[in-house]
Amino acid sequence: MKGIYYINEQIHINDFSREESIEIQKQALLNYIEAARMEPVKLNPYQLYTHYTIPHALLYDLRLHKRQLDCLLMYSRNSIDDFAETYPARWLIIKSYFNRIVTVV
């Protein structure tokens, strides 16, 4: 299974600090990736991380590479809610590139 995982650097999980929230998301997602034997895909070879933190950048890379992937993995639905509510059309386009959207929480 090939997919992309998304970490929201702006949310705070259970009143943890920003850094702790990022680490919680990262650990949960990496545990899922290992258990599901998912292969993270890095569309842009110049990006620093194997995950995405900016949905607009994800959309740009998906459009550029025109590649259908198995899944988009994220910590929870809350991690993308703000983007989905602010940019519903863009969120629908992002979702169209994946066979399924998976949350670990």
Side-chain angles (χ1 to χ4, degrees), residues 22-39:
I22 292 169
E23 193 57 36
I24 289 168
Q25 290 179 77
K26 185 181 288 187
Q27 283 307 105
L29 294 169
L30 291 176
N31 289 342
Y32 182 89
I33 288 169
E34 185 178 327
R37 299 180 195 259
M38 183 180 133
E39 181 183 335

Side-chain angles (χ1 to χ4, degrees), residues 27-89:
Q27 283 307 105
L29 294 169
L30 291 176
N31 289 342
Y32 182 89
I33 288 169
E34 185 178 327
R37 299 180 195 259
M38 183 180 133
E39 181 183 335
V41 174
K42 189 174 177 180
L43 296 175
N44 182 347
Y46 301 108
Q47 74 185 39
L48 297 174
Y49 307 109
T50 55
H51 62 272
Y52 279 84
T53 58
I54 303 170
H56 295 287
L58 172 59
L59 177 58
Y60 177 83
D61 287 347
L62 288 168
R63 283 180 168 166
L64 186 65
H65 294 280
K66 296 180 173 90
R67 186 168 173 193
Q68 188 73 23
L69 296 165
D70 295 320
C71 71
L72 173 61
L73 181 63
M74 62 187 80
Y75 181 74
S76 70
R77 177 68 185 169
N78 291 344
S79 59
I80 200 71
D81 275 346
D82 188 45
F83 177 81
E85 289 173 12
T86 307
Y87 304 100

Side-chain angles (χ1 to χ4, degrees), residues 14-28:
N14 298 332
D15 296 324
F16 285 105
S17 71
R18 180 178 176 267
E19 292 78 20
E20 291 169 322
S21 294
I22 292 169
E23 193 57 36
I24 289 168
Q25 290 179 77
K26 185 181 288 187
Q27 283 307 105

